[in-house]
């Protein structure tokens, strides 16, 4: 069994900041890519940022320069530092991990339960 547990969402004013965390636990052999996605009401889920086990990062154009993704491989944890937040960032943010479980020879995608981020004055 694998679990991804997110934390750090909440309500923040425009221009403010939040830091999201996501910890993966369970019978994990290795984690390849970890990332954050978001889904606003009435919209499809979209990629926010990803990071490989080696530290290579990828960002959606809409968050470049404002958000920073990082990870602690020893803790199986990924973070998303979100600065200069705008109302358009309001969404449920989901953690994703592509990982290999003990006893399973292939990697699979796992999702967290989501955490709400609301940017409003």
């Amino acid at each position: 069994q694998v679990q991804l547990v997110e934390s750090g969402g909440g309500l923040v004013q425009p221009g403010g900041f939040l830091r999201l965390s996501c910890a993966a636990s369970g019978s994990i052999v290795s984690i390849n890519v970890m990332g954050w996605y978001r889904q606003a009401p009435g919209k499809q889920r979209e990629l926010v940022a990803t990071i490989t086990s080696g530290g290579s990062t990828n960002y959606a154009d809409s968050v470049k320069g404002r958000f920073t993704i990082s990870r602690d491989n020893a803790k199986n944890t990924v973070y998303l530092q979100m600065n200069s937040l705008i109302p358009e960032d309001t969404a449920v943010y989901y953690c994703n991990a592509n990982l290999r479980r003990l006893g399973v020879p292939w990697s699979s995608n796992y999702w967290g339960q989501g955490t709400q981020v609301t940017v409003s004055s």
Side-chain angles (χ1 to χ4, degrees), residues 29-85:
V29 173
S30 61
I31 304 179
N32 305 315
V33 180
M34 301 187 82
W36 291 95
Y37 293 71
R38 67 186 181 186
Q39 188 166 18
K43 294 189 176 181
Q44 288 189 330
R45 190 173 298 188
E46 63 176 4
L47 179 146
V48 176
T50 61
I51 184 168
T52 68
S53 57
S56 296
T57 58
N58 179 51
Y59 294 93
D61 287 343
S62 59
V63 307
K64 281 180 182 176
R66 300 187 298 120
F67 291 10
T68 302
I69 189 170
S70 61
R71 67 190 275 179
D72 184 331
N73 291 330
K75 296 181 179 180
N76 288 340
T77 299
V78 63
Y79 306 95
L80 187 68
Q81 178 68 41
M82 305 186 293
N83 298 330
S84 302
L85 284 160

